[in-house]
PDB file of all heavy atoms in Angstrom:
ATOM      1  N   ASP R 407     226.225 -72.819  50.462  1.00 94.00           N
ATOM      2  CA  ASP R 407     226.057 -71.529  50.020  1.00 94.00           C
ATOM      3  C   ASP R 407     227.020 -70.629  50.769  1.00 94.00           C
ATOM      4  O   ASP R 407     228.218 -70.819  50.733  1.00 94.00           O
ATOM      5  CB  ASP R 407     224.583 -71.044  50.095  1.00 94.00           C
ATOM      6  CG  ASP R 407     223.738 -71.970  49.309  1.00 94.00           C
ATOM      7  OD1 ASP R 407     224.111 -72.326  48.226  1.00 94.00           O
ATOM      8  OD2 ASP R 407     222.489 -72.304  49.897  1.00 94.00           O
ATOM      9  N   ASP R 408     226.485 -69.599  51.482  1.00 95.00           N
ATOM     10  CA  ASP R 408     227.470 -68.695  52.246  1.00 95.00           C
ATOM     11  C   ASP R 408     227.396 -69.046  53.818  1.00 95.00           C
ATOM     12  O   ASP R 408     227.731 -68.131  54.635  1.00 95.00           O
ATOM     13  CB  ASP R 408     226.962 -67.179  51.988  1.00 95.00           C
ATOM     14  CG  ASP R 408     227.310 -66.739  50.571  1.00 95.00           C
ATOM     15  OD1 ASP R 408     228.257 -67.238  50.055  1.00 95.00           O
ATOM     16  OD2 ASP R 408     226.470 -66.020  50.046  1.00 95.00           O
ATOM     17  N   ASP R 409     226.998 -70.269  53.988  1.00 98.00           N
ATOM     18  CA  ASP R 409     226.951 -70.634  55.495  1.00 98.00           C
ATOM     19  C   ASP R 409     227.677 -71.910  55.791  1.00 98.00           C
ATOM     20  O   ASP R 409     228.238 -72.656  54.832  1.00 98.00           O
ATOM     21  CB  ASP R 409     225.487 -70.796  55.800  1.00 98.00           C
ATOM     22  CG  ASP R 409     225.145 -70.596  57.209  1.00 98.00           C
ATOM     23  OD1 ASP R 409     225.998 -70.422  58.080  1.00 98.00           O
ATOM     24  OD2 ASP R 409     223.910 -70.336  57.611  1.00 98.00           O
ATOM     25  N   PHE R 410     227.683 -72.248  56.984  1.00 98.00           N
ATOM     26  CA  PHE R 410     228.504 -73.445  57.437  1.00 98.00           C
ATOM     27  C   PHE R 410     227.572 -74.418  58.424  1.00 98.00           C
ATOM     28  O   PHE R 410     226.780 -73.855  59.230  1.00 98.00           O
ATOM     29  CB  PHE R 410     229.770 -73.131  58.349  1.00 98.00           C
ATOM     30  CG  PHE R 410     230.797 -72.245  57.556  1.00 98.00           C
ATOM     31  CD1 PHE R 410     230.784 -70.855  57.477  1.00 98.00           C
ATOM     32  CD2 PHE R 410     231.700 -72.963  56.702  1.00 98.00           C
ATOM     33  CE1 PHE R 410     231.666 -70.091  56.737  1.00 98.00           C
ATOM     34  CE2 PHE R 410     232.584 -72.273  55.942  1.00 98.00           C
ATOM     35  CZ  PHE R 410     232.465 -70.856  55.895  1.00 98.00           C
ATOM     36  N   TYR R 411     227.813 -75.678  58.281  1.00 98.00           N
ATOM     37  CA  TYR R 411     227.009 -76.640  59.029  1.00 98.00           C
ATOM     38  C   TYR R 411     227.979 -77.569  59.830  1.00 98.00           C
ATOM     39  O   TYR R 411     229.007 -78.071  59.124  1.00 98.00           O
ATOM     40  CB  TYR R 411     226.030 -77.549  58.264  1.00 98.00           C
ATOM     41  CG  TYR R 411     224.820 -76.722  57.915  1.00 98.00           C
ATOM     42  CD1 TYR R 411     224.829 -75.735  56.962  1.00 98.00           C
ATOM     43  CD2 TYR R 411     223.615 -77.064  58.572  1.00 98.00           C
ATOM     44  CE1 TYR R 411     223.703 -75.007  56.597  1.00 98.00           C
ATOM     45  CE2 TYR R 411     222.408 -76.244  58.239  1.00 98.00           C
ATOM     46  CZ  TYR R 411     222.463 -75.228  57.157  1.00 98.00           C
ATOM     47  OH  TYR R 411     221.323 -74.555  57.015  1.00 98.00           O
ATOM     48  N   LEU R 412     227.801 -77.687  61.088  1.00 98.00           N
ATOM     49  CA  LEU R 412     228.848 -78.499  61.971  1.00 98.00           C
ATOM     50  C   LEU R 412     228.425 -79.846  62.160  1.00 98.00           C
ATOM     51  O   LEU R 412     227.121 -80.084  62.396  1.00 98.00           O
ATOM     52  CB  LEU R 412     228.989 -77.717  63.360  1.00 98.00           C
ATOM     53  CG  LEU R 412     229.059 -76.181  63.262  1.00 98.00           C
ATOM     54  CD1 LEU R 412     229.303 -75.689  64.709  1.00 98.00           C
ATOM     55  CD2 LEU R 412     230.071 -75.623  62.327  1.00 98.00           C
ATOM     56  N   LEU R 413     229.191 -80.822  62.022  1.00 96.00           N
ATOM     57  CA  LEU R 413     228.805 -82.286  62.163  1.00 96.00           C
ATOM     58  C   LEU R 413     229.832 -83.079  62.792  1.00 96.00           C
ATOM     59  O   LEU R 413     230.915 -82.616  63.180  1.00 96.00           O
ATOM     60  CB  LEU R 413     228.423 -82.762  60.817  1.00 96.00           C
ATOM     61  CG  LEU R 413     229.395 -82.843  59.652  1.00 96.00           C
ATOM     62  CD1 LEU R 413     229.004 -83.901  58.697  1.00 96.00           C
ATOM     63  CD2 LEU R 413     229.691 -81.628  58.939  1.00 96.00           C
ATOM     64  N   ASP R 414     229.594 -84.428  62.934  1.00 95.00           N
ATOM     65  CA  ASP R 414     230.531 -85.334  63.520  1.00 95.00           C
ATOM     66  C   ASP R 414     230.978 -85.092  64.884  1.00 95.00           C
ATOM     67  O   ASP R 414     232.003 -84.592  65.003  1.00 95.00           O
ATOM     68  CB  ASP R 414     231.646 -85.635  62.490  1.00 95.00           C
ATOM     69  CG  ASP R 414     231.202 -86.380  61.192  1.00 95.00           C
ATOM     70  OD1 ASP R 414     230.203 -87.020  61.333  1.00 95.00           O
ATOM     71  OD2 ASP R 414     231.984 -86.315  60.356  1.00 95.00           O
ATOM     72  N   PHE R 415     230.101 -85.252  65.895  1.00 97.00           N
ATOM     73  CA  PHE R 415     230.362 -84.954  67.282  1.00 97.00           C
ATOM     74  C   PHE R 415     230.956 -86.158  68.128  1.00 97.00           C
ATOM     75  O   PHE R 415     230.666 -86.185  69.274  1.00 97.00           O
ATOM     76  CB  PHE R 415     229.065 -84.333  67.969  1.00 97.00           C
ATOM     77  CG  PHE R 415     228.738 -83.033  67.457  1.00 97.00           C
ATOM     78  CD1 PHE R 415     227.903 -82.905  66.275  1.00 97.00           C
ATOM     79  CD2 PHE R 415     229.083 -81.919  67.996  1.00 97.00           C
ATOM     80  CE1 PHE R 415     227.563 -81.655  65.817  1.00 97.00           C
ATOM     81  CE2 PHE R 415     228.812 -80.556  67.575  1.00 97.00           C
ATOM     82  CZ  PHE R 415     227.950 -80.526  66.445  1.00 97.00           C
ATOM     83  N   GLU R 416     231.563 -87.131  67.389  1.00 94.00           N
ATOM     84  CA  GLU R 416     231.953 -88.305  68.133  1.00 94.00           C
ATOM     85  C   GLU R 416     233.147 -88.069  69.029  1.00 94.00           C
ATOM     86  O   GLU R 416     233.395 -88.828  69.936  1.00 94.00           O
ATOM     87  CB  GLU R 416     232.421 -89.439  67.062  1.00 94.00           C
ATOM     88  CG  GLU R 416     231.222 -90.116  66.500  1.00 94.00           C
ATOM     89  CD  GLU R 416     231.608 -91.529  65.984  1.00 94.00           C
ATOM     90  OE1 GLU R 416     231.920 -92.432  66.720  1.00 94.00           O
ATOM     91  OE2 GLU R 416     231.814 -91.517  64.725  1.00 94.00           O
ATOM     92  N   GLY R 417     233.866 -86.901  68.808  1.00 94.00           N
ATOM     93  CA  GLY R 417     235.174 -86.732  69.726  1.00 94.00           C
ATOM     94  C   GLY R 417     236.385 -87.342  69.031  1.00 94.00           C
ATOM     95  O   GLY R 417     236.381 -87.908  67.973  1.00 94.00           O
ATOM     96  N   GLU R 418     237.423 -86.989  69.737  1.00 91.00           N
ATOM     97  CA  GLU R 418     238.724 -87.496  69.302  1.00 91.00           C
ATOM     98  C   GLU R 418     238.846 -89.016  69.297  1.00 91.00           C
ATOM     99  O   GLU R 418     238.565 -89.593  70.189  1.00 91.00           O
ATOM    100  CB  GLU R 418     239.855 -87.014  70.298  1.00 91.00           C
ATOM    101  CG  GLU R 418     240.314 -85.622  69.919  1.00 91.00           C
ATOM    102  CD  GLU R 418     241.601 -85.171  70.934  1.00 91.00           C
ATOM    103  OE1 GLU R 418     241.871 -85.968  71.798  1.00 91.00           O
ATOM    104  OE2 GLU R 418     242.126 -84.100  70.780  1.00 91.00           O
ATOM    105  N   PRO R 419     239.281 -89.495  68.096  1.00 85.00           N
ATOM    106  CA  PRO R 419     239.278 -91.005  67.920  1.00 85.00           C
ATOM    107  C   PRO R 419     240.212 -91.693  68.861  1.00 85.00           C
ATOM    108  O   PRO R 419     239.878 -92.780  69.418  1.00 85.00           O
ATOM    109  CB  PRO R 419     239.866 -91.203  66.433  1.00 85.00           C
ATOM    110  CG  PRO R 419     239.539 -89.920  65.870  1.00 85.00           C
ATOM    111  CD  PRO R 419     239.623 -88.776  66.946  1.00 85.00           C
ATOM    112  N   GLU R 420     241.241 -91.104  69.527  1.00 85.00           N
ATOM    113  CA  GLU R 420     242.135 -91.690  70.438  1.00 85.00           C
ATOM    114  C   GLU R 420     241.634 -91.646  71.729  1.00 85.00           C
ATOM    115  O   GLU R 420     242.123 -92.464  72.663  1.00 85.00           O
ATOM    116  CB  GLU R 420     243.540 -91.121  70.439  1.00 85.00           C
ATOM    117  CG  GLU R 420     244.515 -91.525  69.341  1.00 85.00           C
ATOM    118  CD  GLU R 420     245.817 -90.860  69.582  1.00 85.00           C
ATOM    119  OE1 GLU R 420     246.269 -90.692  70.716  1.00 85.00           O
ATOM    120  OE2 GLU R 420     246.562 -90.673  68.511  1.00 85.00           O
ATOM    121  N   SER R 421     240.669 -90.922  72.088  1.00 90.00           N
ATOM    122  CA  SER R 421     240.065 -90.843  73.508  1.00 90.00           C
ATOM    123  C   SER R 421     239.092 -91.861  73.790  1.00 90.00           C
ATOM    124  O   SER R 421     238.459 -92.404  73.067  1.00 90.00           O
ATOM    125  CB  SER R 421     239.353 -89.376  73.595  1.00 90.00           C
ATOM    126  OG  SER R 421     240.292 -88.423  73.369  1.00 90.00           O
ATOM    127  N   THR R 422     239.040 -92.148  75.109  1.00 90.00           N
ATOM    128  CA  THR R 422     238.054 -93.112  75.490  1.00 90.00           C
ATOM    129  C   THR R 422     236.668 -92.414  75.568  1.00 90.00           C
ATOM    130  O   THR R 422     236.551 -91.238  75.412  1.00 90.00           O
ATOM    131  CB  THR R 422     238.283 -93.622  76.993  1.00 90.00           C
ATOM    132  OG1 THR R 422     238.131 -92.397  77.849  1.00 90.00           O
ATOM    133  CG2 THR R 422     239.629 -94.127  77.103  1.00 90.00           C
ATOM    134  N   ILE R 423     235.598 -93.251  75.546  1.00 91.00           N
ATOM    135  CA  ILE R 423     234.244 -92.809  75.289  1.00 91.00           C
ATOM    136  C   ILE R 423     233.978 -91.754  76.615  1.00 91.00           C
ATOM    137  O   ILE R 423     233.307 -90.795  76.521  1.00 91.00           O
ATOM    138  CB  ILE R 423     233.171 -93.834  75.317  1.00 91.00           C
ATOM    139  CG1 ILE R 423     231.893 -93.291  74.754  1.00 91.00           C
ATOM    140  CG2 ILE R 423     232.986 -94.542  76.608  1.00 91.00           C
ATOM    141  CD1 ILE R 423     231.918 -92.856  73.302  1.00 91.00           C
ATOM    142  N   ARG R 424     234.594 -92.238  77.786  1.00 93.00           N
ATOM    143  CA  ARG R 424     234.424 -91.371  78.909  1.00 93.00           C
ATOM    144  C   ARG R 424     235.033 -90.010  78.852  1.00 93.00           C
ATOM    145  O   ARG R 424     234.564 -88.900  79.246  1.00 93.00           O
ATOM    146  CB  ARG R 424     234.951 -92.129  80.174  1.00 93.00           C
ATOM    147  CG  ARG R 424     234.678 -91.393  81.556  1.00 93.00           C
ATOM    148  CD  ARG R 424     235.146 -92.242  82.667  1.00 93.00           C
ATOM    149  NE  ARG R 424     234.991 -91.607  83.957  1.00 93.00           N
ATOM    150  CZ  ARG R 424     235.452 -92.059  85.149  1.00 93.00           C
ATOM    151  NH1 ARG R 424     236.075 -93.257  85.113  1.00 93.00           N
ATOM    152  NH2 ARG R 424     235.199 -91.394  86.209  1.00 93.00           N
ATOM    153  N   ASP R 425     236.287 -90.039  78.326  1.00 95.00           N
ATOM    154  CA  ASP R 425     237.037 -88.813  78.137  1.00 95.00           C
ATOM    155  C   ASP R 425     236.370 -87.843  77.243  1.00 95.00           C
ATOM    156  O   ASP R 425     236.485 -86.623  77.133  1.00 95.00           O
ATOM    157  CB  ASP R 425     238.499 -89.111  77.645  1.00 95.00           C
ATOM    158  CG  ASP R 425     239.369 -89.583  78.836  1.00 95.00           C
ATOM    159  OD1 ASP R 425     238.935 -89.573  79.913  1.00 95.00           O
ATOM    160  OD2 ASP R 425     240.547 -89.992  78.495  1.00 95.00           O
ATOM    161  N   ARG R 426     235.749 -88.329  76.136  1.00 95.00           N
ATOM    162  CA  ARG R 426     235.145 -87.567  75.190  1.00 95.00           C
ATOM    163  C   ARG R 426     233.870 -86.771  75.703  1.00 95.00           C
ATOM    164  O   ARG R 426     233.511 -85.742  75.166  1.00 95.00           O
ATOM    165  CB  ARG R 426     234.524 -88.426  73.925  1.00 95.00           C
ATOM    166  CG  ARG R 426     235.676 -89.162  73.169  1.00 95.00           C
ATOM    167  CD  ARG R 426     235.018 -89.945  72.047  1.00 95.00           C
ATOM    168  NE  ARG R 426     235.881 -91.000  71.653  1.00 95.00           N
ATOM    169  CZ  ARG R 426     235.826 -91.735  70.550  1.00 95.00           C
ATOM    170  NH1 ARG R 426     234.783 -91.366  69.795  1.00 95.00           N
ATOM    171  NH2 ARG R 426     236.674 -92.623  70.169  1.00 95.00           N
ATOM    172  N   LYS R 427     233.494 -87.283  76.828  1.00 96.00           N
ATOM    173  CA  LYS R 427     232.241 -86.628  77.516  1.00 96.00           C
ATOM    174  C   LYS R 427     232.642 -85.692  78.568  1.00 96.00           C
ATOM    175  O   LYS R 427     231.765 -85.007  79.151  1.00 96.00           O
ATOM    176  CB  LYS R 427     231.202 -87.626  77.946  1.00 96.00           C
ATOM    177  CG  LYS R 427     230.722 -88.435  76.828  1.00 96.00           C
ATOM    178  CD  LYS R 427     229.718 -89.340  77.333  1.00 96.00           C
ATOM    179  CE  LYS R 427     229.197 -90.314  76.140  1.00 96.00           C
ATOM    180  NZ  LYS R 427     227.919 -90.997  76.581  1.00 96.00           N
ATOM    181  N   VAL R 428     233.961 -85.463  78.925  1.00 97.00           N
ATOM    182  CA  VAL R 428     234.416 -84.606  79.963  1.00 97.00           C
ATOM    183  C   VAL R 428     234.122 -83.105  79.518  1.00 97.00           C
ATOM    184  O   VAL R 428     234.385 -82.805  78.331  1.00 97.00           O
ATOM    185  CB  VAL R 428     235.838 -84.713  80.225  1.00 97.00           C
ATOM    186  CG1 VAL R 428     236.443 -83.691  81.122  1.00 97.00           C
ATOM    187  CG2 VAL R 428     236.060 -86.143  80.898  1.00 97.00           C
ATOM    188  N   LYS R 429     233.558 -82.315  80.409  1.00 98.00           N
ATOM    189  CA  LYS R 429     233.411 -80.998  80.013  1.00 98.00           C
ATOM    190  C   LYS R 429     234.648 -80.222  79.941  1.00 98.00           C
ATOM    191  O   LYS R 429     235.577 -80.333  80.870  1.00 98.00           O
ATOM    192  CB  LYS R 429     232.461 -80.294  81.099  1.00 98.00           C
ATOM    193  CG  LYS R 429     231.087 -80.893  80.919  1.00 98.00           C
ATOM    194  CD  LYS R 429     230.115 -80.594  82.170  1.00 98.00           C
ATOM    195  CE  LYS R 429     228.826 -81.330  82.030  1.00 98.00           C
ATOM    196  NZ  LYS R 429     228.007 -81.306  83.394  1.00 98.00           N
ATOM    197  N   GLN R 430     234.777 -79.368  78.913  1.00 97.00           N
ATOM    198  CA  GLN R 430     236.109 -78.713  78.564  1.00 97.00           C
ATOM    199  C   GLN R 430     235.905 -77.333  78.286  1.00 97.00           C
ATOM    200  O   GLN R 430     234.833 -76.944  78.046  1.00 97.00           O
ATOM    201  CB  GLN R 430     236.715 -79.416  77.342  1.00 97.00           C
ATOM    202  CG  GLN R 430     236.866 -80.949  77.347  1.00 97.00           C
ATOM    203  CD  GLN R 430     238.310 -81.190  77.594  1.00 97.00           C
ATOM    204  OE1 GLN R 430     239.076 -80.636  78.288  1.00 97.00           O
ATOM    205  NE2 GLN R 430     238.695 -82.350  76.922  1.00 97.00           N
TER     206      GLN R 430
END
Side-chain angles (χ1 to χ4, degrees):
D407 301 323
D408 291 324
D409 211 342
F410 298 96
Y411 283 72
L412 320 184
L413 62 160
D414 289 343
F415 291 86
E416 278 198 79
E418 271 183 1
E420 278 189 31
S421 299
T422 66
I423 197 73
R424 186 177 177 184
D425 284 354
R426 297 182 201 191
K427 299 185 180 192
V428 170
K429 289 164 187 169
Q430 306 255 37

